[in-house]
Amino acid sequence: MAVLTRDETEALIAEVLEVYPDKAKKDRTKHLAVNDHDVEQSKKCITSNRKSLPGVMTIRGCAYAGSKGVVWGPIKDMIHISHGPVGCGQYSRAGRRNYYVGTTGVDTFGTMNFTSDFQEKDIVFGGDKKLAKLIEEIETLFPLHKGISVQSECPIGLIGDDIEAVSKKASAAIDKPVVPVRCEGFRGVSQSLGHHIANDAIRDWVLDKRDGQEYESTPYDVAIIGDYNIGGDAWASRILLEEMGLRVVAQWSGDGTIAEMMNTPKVKLNLLHCYRSMNYISRHMEEKYGIPYMEYNFFGPTKIIESCRKIAAFFDDTIKEKTEAMIARYQPMMDEIIAKYRPRLEGKKVMLYVGGLRPRHVIGAYEDLGMEVIGTGYEFGHNDDYDRTIKEVGDATLLYDDVTGFELEEFVKRLKPDMVGSGIKEKYIFQKMGIPLRQMHSWDYSGPYHGYDGFAIFARDMDIALANPVWDNMVPPWKKAAVPDELQKVA
Ligand code: SF4
């Protein structure tokens, strides 16, 4: 059940767009929609994956961010060079909390920043020699690394450096994979193309490179695809898959290694969590190696149980029995969490605005706690993401694609949710309005949120955000008119 009727939600969209000039209004109208369960394909009601309008605030990242920040960066035993000026590398370093096991700077490198630190002369004379020298230095200083990726930033594509040639030569010299990734930030309309480019680089430079090497197969080999181990998510998921009796051969790419990636074409089933960032490589493995992939959702017990049974159905009775036993084992823990938090959270309304899979995947976890998602949208989703979202949210729920700062604030002011789940750029705006916000990109420095262990933390975090006494001392802007002058000054 949405808080507004279809007509009311349509009227809300029209009213909020009223301030825009005609051209902007026409464009933005296409990105805002009222959910309709009768629609088969979202392209009939919402437009996505288009260029953001200049002048209206967007919170998208660039293609480099999609490749280096999301897909490649968490592969822990490789060194990922941010090739270009230092800033992109510095700002994309360690922000996503991709936890890993290892000794940083010795055999794992996830939180370090390697950059070719481009200067003006490199722009004028080219940076190929500098890149080659940097790879030589890396080999001397960090001999235990298992490979290098070259993540190109904007200037590299603009000046036309041949990173492929440098990488090939360097790879032969150091006898390790050196992968050039053409993820210059200006490509595409958001980080989404960076995910695709990163997947293509894995396809072209990694997947077939262990052919002929020994691999002992089991009937239960699976790979986790599209889990970045934010706050330990992949670990909380892996525990469940292993309890089901499956052997997790690879984690892509949180706490993952290049050897795991190379072995993935040998698994029986790819398990895809973040569809947006890794559907390309999953499809490729299906087409080329005949490995099916299955989407799953490990947020909240309802979706976990649904997903585990779906995964188990792919295997034999041994796995099905173990899965049921696992579900039964965790049920009392889940019942306890729900008994504790549901009475405190029941009926609370949430608006989401996130990237990747979260605008739809976390809905079930909120529902397990009795909460309702009344608006949701993607920063860089495509229509296949909205196709999946239509089924997850109630009819007449507000959907917003690449929403502008103005629109989101207005929607929040009018729908008055109890909580917003979004990113760091929205966090302080809404908190200053007196609305609790959980940062749903990196779990607000908490987590994991995946799996049964993650749900316990998710429930606690939502409760502490909502129950914080600070909100009673803040007056949202739309209430200020009704507040006496003296109190307004305090607020
Ligand atoms: S858009 Fe270009 S300059 Fe900006 S962060 Fe991305 S790669 Fe770097």
Side-chain angles (χ1 to χ4, degrees):
M1 273 290 292
V3 277
L4 302 180
T5 63
R6 170 165 305 282
D7 290 348
E8 285 167 338
T9 313
E10 273 168 11
L12 169 68
I13 293 172
E15 204 182 314
V16 168
L17 293 183
E18 208 41 56
V19 297
Y20 286 139
D22 285 348
K23 195 161 176 257
K25 195 196 294 178
K26 195 171 162 211
D27 179 272
R28 289 303 308 158
T29 306
K30 297 179 202 155
H31 295 266
L32 305 171
V34 185
N35 192 38
D36 188 343
H37 284 162
D38 293 336
V39 169
E40 280 292 313
Q41 284 192 321
S42 64
K43 64 181 176 211
K44 295 209 171 111
C45 61
I46 197 162
T47 298
S48 62
N49 196 32
R50 295 283 193 283
K51 267 198 291 191
S52 304
L53 283 183
V56 287
M57 196 175 105
T58 178
I59 54 170
R60 288 171 161 179
C62 65
Y64 160 84
S67 175
K68 198 269 178 181
V70 178
V71 177
W72 277 97
I75 302 172
K76 63 180 180 178
D77 59 353
M78 290 179 77
I79 286 176
H80 308 286
I81 298 173
S82 293
H83 186 33
V86 67
C88 319
Q90 184 54 19
Y91 287 114
S92 62
R93 181 197 144 264
R96 286 194 19 111
R97 306 177 60 246
N98 313 106
Y99 286 4
Y100 58 86
V101 177
T103 309
T104 302
V106 178
D107 57 3
T108 42
F109 310 93
T111 47
M112 298 175 81
N113 180 13
F114 294 85
T115 174
S116 47
D117 188 20
F118 252 47
Q119 305 296 316
E120 280 138 353
K121 70 176 172 30
D122 302 315
I123 304 282
V124 176
F125 297 110
D128 286 350
K129 284 198 184 108
K130 193 172 198 180
L131 177 62
K133 178 96 178 24
L134 171 58
I135 295 172
E136 261 176 58
E137 285 175 4
I138 284 174
E139 189 58 14
T140 309
L141 291 169
F142 304 100
L144 296 183
H145 79 88
K146 294 288 194 301
I148 292 171
S149 80
V150 180
Q151 307 283 322
S152 51
E153 301 166 9
C154 284
I156 307 306
L158 295 171
I159 63 175
D161 273 6
D162 192 350
I163 60 168
E164 287 80 7
V166 177
S167 298
K168 266 188 196 151
K169 211 166 151 196
S171 177
I174 66 172
D175 196 22
K176 290 176 190 171
V178 180
V179 182
V181 192
R182 281 274 172 206
C183 57
E184 290 89 0
F186 56 75
R187 292 181 195 275
V189 298
S190 69
Q191 58 261 58
S192 180
L193 189 69
H195 304 141
H196 197 161
I197 292 167
N199 280 202
D200 287 353
I202 293 170
R203 177 197 66 199
D204 296 341
W205 294 79
V206 177
L207 282 192
D208 295 323
K209 301 292 182 274
R210 264 171 89 92
D211 280 358
Q213 294 204 25
E214 226 171 87
Y215 177 87
E216 209 171 306
S217 197
T218 80
Y220 304 127
D221 289 357
V222 296
I224 294 178
I225 308 278
D227 189 320
Y228 300 101
N229 207 31
I230 290 165
D233 279 339
W235 296 333
S237 303
R238 188 176 176 133
I239 289 168
L240 304 189
L241 297 170
E242 288 177 350
E243 283 191 40
M244 286 167 62
L246 301 172
R247 185 171 80 149
V248 180
V249 168
Q251 286 175 208
W252 289 42
S253 45
D255 196 34
T257 64
I258 189 165
E260 288 177 27
M261 281 192 146
M262 288 173 169
N263 280 334
T264 305
K266 314 271 192 326
V267 302
K268 302 289 181 293
L269 178 67
N270 277 324
L271 296 171
L272 174 57
H273 208 236
C274 181
Y275 171 87
R276 182 70 276 129
S277 59
M278 292 264 192
N279 76 82
Y280 315 100
I281 198 71
S282 304
R283 285 173 204 279
H284 168 73
M285 284 191 268
E286 185 171 62
E287 280 161 23
K288 178 155 185 197
Y289 307 102
I291 305 167
Y293 70 90
M294 186 182 287
E295 292 175 51
Y296 72 108
N297 177 353
F298 269 6
F299 285 99
T302 304
K303 295 292 175 187
I304 295 172
I305 292 169
E306 213 177 283
S307 295
C308 288
R309 286 191 173 137
K310 195 170 87 168
I311 295 165
F314 182 85
F315 296 94
D316 57 21
D317 286 348
T318 323
I319 301 295
K320 286 180 202 148
E321 279 156 26
K322 281 189 178 174
T323 302
E324 289 308 321
M326 180 200 72
I327 292 170
R329 197 162 46 247
Y330 282 102
Q331 198 57 50
M333 175 183 156
M334 292 298 104
D335 292 344
E336 213 176 298
I337 291 163
I338 290 171
K340 179 175 175 185
Y341 291 107
R342 193 162 174 136
R344 299 167 63 84
L345 301 174
E346 185 87 48
K348 300 286 184 201
K349 301 198 172 353
V350 186
M351 283 177 73
L352 298 170
Y353 180 51
V354 221
L357 51 87
R358 293 160 185 160
R360 65 176 179 277
H361 265 204
V362 295
I363 293 168
Y366 281 113
E367 287 174 349
D368 284 335
L369 295 169
M371 301 169 79
E372 187 190 356
V373 173
I374 58 169
T376 193
Y378 295 82
E379 289 170 18
F380 51 85
H382 296 212
N383 274 96
D384 45 6
D385 293 301
Y386 287 100
D387 289 344
R388 290 160 170 77
T389 312
I390 288 173
K391 302 175 187 95
E392 297 292 337
V393 279
D395 214 22
T397 298
L398 179 64
L399 301 175
Y400 29 82
D401 175 67
D402 187 27
V403 73
T404 70
F406 165 75
E407 290 159 17
L408 189 57
E409 279 177 45
E410 288 304 307
F411 290 145
V412 168
K413 281 182 200 166
R414 288 152 205 247
L415 289 176
K416 301 183 179 49
D418 298 289
M419 170 184 272
V420 176
S422 191
I424 196 73
K425 290 177 189 152
E426 297 78 32
K427 177 167 174 146
Y428 301 104
I429 294 167
F430 292 119
Q431 289 192 341
K432 283 177 183 175
M433 284 185 188
I435 298 170
L437 185 140
R438 280 305 296 182
Q439 209 264 75
M440 294 297 281
H441 293 276
S442 64
W443 310 147
D444 240 337
Y445 321 104
S446 181
Y449 281 179
H450 293 180
Y452 287 121
D453 291 337
F455 181 65
I457 296 164
F458 174 83
R460 179 207 64 190
D461 284 358
M462 297 311 132
D463 182 46
I464 55 176
L466 277 161
N468 192 322
V470 73
W471 311 120
D472 296 335
N473 297 317
M474 301 186 73
V475 182
W478 58 86
K479 285 191 186 157
K480 280 198 175 167
V483 174
D485 278 356
E486 312 79 69
L487 215 66
Q488 279 203 32
K489 276 180 209 139
V490 180

